[in-house]
């Protein structure tokens, strides 16, 4: 590949455009990563990330479409440029499967998240009892294999997961963004993936005093006993029917707005654990009876239930990745390529959120049209079929939606080449946060 093949395209893409505004933080974050400048003589890390973000936003799941679209784009941006494909398929495929690039991406994401954290509001500000602790959710999702991947499941004598590639994603509930992920192509239980991730250098599960909000599949008493004893980290989950309770003792329930709907708060022992746990029973506004399990004794029981409900934010993140980004299907067949694709999804989501808040500030960057729908549901009578499960005390805490509006994402998809200016964002982007077209 001739080095200047890509120059004309990238110069046009990044010449004072919306796309240039969007990916500007990448260069700053890469400056803090060793080896970033030395990776890729033909396709630099900065260009690799930029083109990966572009592909995610365009929703292009097929490499041939990406190559062809970039070729047409180059003709539009630089008609006098050399008439050759600016990005060869082999160049992108090799870059996507590069372990060096994976190391750079994984080192860059925490740097980018620190920058994001300095700009984005704290979505859990005002929740009593958290005291600045990190609050994260983790959950698994599945991704369809690439066309070149030859699945061989355990029934066929192999190890591949029949549901697709597994992704264990770690989500920051304060920022509303995914921060890390573990990819696994084999058919393995979620708790085994968690243990594998925990053994990684720099794993988020090693951070002290973290409050984890997890699905029942991640209940492993010995694992969480150790986390609480050595790191002060605790978890919130739902009660599991096969857990054997040894003893129960009722705890007093404070008469506060946060505890509305709480029926019981019990100190219990589990036969599988060496420590004490809490079992909280709550009746929702819709009349459902739910049981929550936690080893955190410092939170109000109603707050425990509220935080578990915030797991929904991560589910909406998966929805964005699969239905708005190009992440429903793997771009490559190697685990490294899948890792790099997940990193690019995390980066794309962070960059879009960061640009919105930098342009409009925390208040104006809210999705006001979606918030109005939430308020309408909240005003419904308890038990109404189109009402909400949220208790009234949480209404002031729901100031930010779980998902980036699809019409906002369409703005980035279709306006990436537009000349960037405050006037453009005010005229074309802000109205998409205020009302549905």
């Amino acid at each position: 590949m001739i080095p200047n093949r890509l120059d004309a395209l990238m110069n046009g893409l990044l010449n004072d455009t919306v796309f240039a505004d969007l990916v500007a933080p990448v260069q700053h974050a890469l400056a803090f990563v060793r080896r970033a400048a030395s990776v890729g003589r033909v396709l630099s890390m900065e260009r690799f990330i930029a083109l990966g973000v572009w592909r995610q936003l365009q929703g292009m799941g097929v490499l041939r479409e990406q190559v062809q679209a970039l070729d047409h784009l180059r003709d539009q941006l630089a008609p006098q440029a050399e008439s050759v494909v600016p990005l060869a398929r082999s160049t992108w495929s090799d870059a996507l499967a590069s372990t060096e690039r994976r190391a750079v991406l994984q080192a860059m994401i925490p740097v980018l998240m620190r920058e994001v954290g300095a700009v984005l509001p704290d979505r859990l500000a005002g929740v009593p009892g958290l005291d600045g602790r990190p609050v994260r959710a983790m959950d698994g999702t599945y991704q369809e294999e690439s066309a070149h991947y030859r699945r061989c499941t355990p029934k066929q004598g192999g190890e591949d997961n029949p549901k697709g590639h597994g992704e264990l994603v770690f989500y920051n509930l304060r920022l509303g963004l995914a921060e890390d992920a573990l990819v696994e192509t084999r058919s393995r239980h979620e708790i085994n993936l968690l243990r594998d991730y925990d053994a990684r250098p720099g794993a988020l599960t090693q951070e002290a005093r973290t409050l984890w909000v997890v699905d029942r599949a991640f209940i492993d008493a010995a694992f969480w006993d150790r986390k609480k004893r050595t790191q002060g980290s605790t978890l919130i989950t739902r009660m599991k029917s096969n857990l054997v309770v040894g003893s129960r003792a009722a705890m007093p329930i404070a008469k506060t707005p946060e505890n509305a709907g709480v029926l019981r708060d019990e100190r219990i022992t589990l036969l599988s654990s060496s420590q004490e746990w809490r079992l909280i029973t709550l009746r929702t506004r819709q009349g459902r009876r739910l049981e929550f399990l936690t080893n955190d004794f410092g939170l109000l029981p109603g707050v425990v239930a509220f935080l578990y409900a915030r797991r929904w934010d991560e589910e909406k993140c998966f929805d964005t990745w699969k239905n708005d980004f190009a992440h429903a299907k793997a771009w490559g067949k190697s685990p490294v390529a899948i890792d790099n694709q997940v990193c690019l999804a995390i980066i794309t989501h962070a960059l879009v959120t960061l640009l919105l808040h930098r342009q409009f500030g925390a208040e104006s960057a809210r999705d006001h049209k979606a918030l109005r729908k939430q308020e309408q549901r909240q005003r419904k009578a308890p038990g109404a079929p189109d009402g909400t499960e949220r208790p009234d005390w949480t209404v002031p805490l729901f100031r930010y939606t779980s998902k980036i509006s699809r019409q906002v994402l369409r703005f980035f998809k279709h306006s990436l080449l537009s000349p960037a200016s405050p006037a453009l964002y005010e005229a074309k982007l802000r109205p998409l946060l205020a009302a549905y077209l």
Side-chain angles (χ1 to χ4, degrees):
M1 179 176 175
I2 303 171
N4 64 6
R5 279 188 187 183
L6 205 53
D7 289 348
L9 171 65
M10 298 307 299
N11 290 340
L13 277 172
L14 301 174
N15 184 22
D16 296 326
T17 60
V18 170
F19 188 57
D21 271 6
L22 181 69
V23 299
V26 170
Q27 183 179 20
H28 180 261
L30 285 174
F32 292 89
V33 180
R34 291 182 180 180
R35 306 182 309 279
S38 63
V39 175
R41 290 177 298 174
V42 174
L43 185 62
S44 68
M45 277 304 302
E46 188 175 352
R47 288 182 172 185
F48 172 69
I49 294 171
L51 292 176
V53 169
W54 180 81
R55 180 173 176 177
Q56 289 281 9
L57 288 173
Q58 297 301 320
M60 291 182 178
V62 181
L63 175 56
R64 289 183 184 274
E65 182 183 6
Q66 179 189 18
V67 170
Q68 186 175 358
L70 290 174
D71 189 30
H72 289 303
L73 197 59
R74 188 276 320 276
D75 292 341
Q76 175 186 341
L77 294 171
Q80 306 304 319
E82 184 181 4
S83 183
V84 291
V85 176
L87 179 68
R89 289 170 55 207
S90 58
T91 300
W92 178 260
S93 296
D94 290 347
L96 191 64
S98 166
T99 56
E100 288 184 310
R101 292 182 189 271
R102 177 175 64 180
V104 172
L105 289 175
Q106 291 178 343
M108 176 201 140
I109 287 175
V111 179
L112 180 62
M113 289 301 165
R114 285 196 293 271
E115 184 172 350
V116 169
V119 176
L120 266 59
D122 180 0
R123 290 173 172 240
L124 298 180
V127 177
L130 292 181
D131 299 328
R133 293 177 62 188
V135 185
R136 294 188 173 95
M138 73 173 87
D139 206 354
T141 186
Y142 292 97
Q143 181 187 54
E144 183 183 351
E145 300 98 333
S146 75
H148 302 287
Y149 191 87
R150 296 292 177 260
R151 179 199 296 174
C152 187
T153 66
K155 286 186 177 180
Q156 299 166 321
E159 293 184 305
D160 292 335
N161 196 320
K163 297 180 181 179
H165 300 318
E167 295 175 353
L168 179 57
V169 180
F170 300 85
Y171 186 88
N172 190 318
L173 287 172
R174 288 190 180 275
L175 297 180
L177 291 170
E179 294 181 293
D180 203 357
L182 174 74
V183 170
E184 178 58 88
T185 62
R186 296 173 295 172
S187 183
R188 301 177 67 220
H189 195 277
E190 289 92 334
I191 194 63
N192 293 327
L193 302 186
L194 176 57
R195 291 195 192 100
D196 288 351
Y197 176 80
D198 189 53
R200 275 186 181 181
L204 294 173
T205 49
Q206 297 171 7
E207 187 172 352
R209 298 185 67 247
T210 302
L211 177 59
W212 289 97
V213 185
V214 304
D215 181 76
R216 286 179 277 208
F218 296 99
I219 297 178
D220 181 331
F223 179 88
W224 294 110
D225 283 353
R226 177 171 57 84
K227 285 294 174 186
K228 184 175 181 180
R229 183 177 63 254
T230 61
Q231 299 171 200
S233 294
T234 54
L235 89 155
I236 296 171
T237 184
R238 289 277 301 277
M239 184 58 176
K240 206 172 182 180
S241 60
N242 63 357
L243 288 176
V244 181
V245 177
S247 63
R248 298 172 181 260
M251 298 172 60
I253 302 171
K255 294 183 178 180
T256 65
E258 293 84 359
N259 288 338
V262 175
L263 302 178
R264 287 196 303 272
D265 186 7
E266 300 172 289
R267 185 187 300 270
I268 67 172
T269 59
L270 300 174
L271 295 189
S272 56
S273 172
S274 61
Q275 300 179 8
E276 292 185 321
W277 292 70
R278 289 172 76 187
L279 181 61
I280 296 164
T281 307
L282 176 124
R283 180 181 289 115
T284 69
R285 280 169 54 97
Q286 300 291 82
R288 292 199 302 152
R289 194 182 183 96
L290 303 175
E291 288 185 327
F292 301 95
L293 182 69
T294 180
N295 59 353
D296 194 306
F297 287 83
L299 297 172
L300 292 169
V303 170
V304 170
F306 165 75
L307 291 173
Y308 185 82
R310 300 318 300 155
R311 283 186 62 250
W312 183 249
D313 291 0
E314 185 170 15
E315 296 295 336
K316 301 305 286 185
C317 171
F318 294 157
D319 181 44
T320 295
W321 287 11
K322 292 182 178 182
N323 296 311
D324 300 314
F325 294 172
H327 199 71
K329 188 172 183 176
W331 294 353
K333 63 180 183 179
S334 74
V336 176
I338 303 166
D339 276 339
N340 286 338
Q341 182 183 353
V342 175
C343 288
L344 290 169
I346 292 173
I347 291 169
T348 303
H349 205 163
L351 292 176
V352 170
T353 306
L354 186 58
L355 189 147
L356 287 172
H357 282 79
R358 280 186 163 163
Q359 287 299 322
F360 303 129
E363 295 300 315
S364 297
R366 295 179 185 177
D367 191 342
H368 295 280
K369 61 186 187 305
L371 291 173
R372 284 196 296 272
K373 289 178 64 176
Q374 290 184 6
E375 291 168 359
Q376 291 170 2
R377 294 182 63 202
Q378 191 72 39
R379 287 195 292 268
K380 299 287 185 179
D386 55 348
T388 179
E389 297 277 28
R390 298 184 310 177
D392 290 334
W393 74 269
T394 67
V395 172
L397 302 175
F398 281 83
R399 295 172 295 166
Y400 306 98
T401 52
S402 303
K403 179 177 168 60
I404 298 176
S405 167
R406 185 161 291 171
Q407 65 182 26
V408 168
L409 291 172
R410 290 193 194 107
F411 166 85
F412 289 103
K413 179 177 181 178
H414 298 299
S415 302
L416 289 179
L417 299 183
S418 300
S421 68
L424 172 72
Y425 295 129
E426 286 292 331
K428 296 296 184 180
L429 183 54
R430 186 189 289 274
L432 301 179
L433 294 165
Y436 291 102
L437 293 177

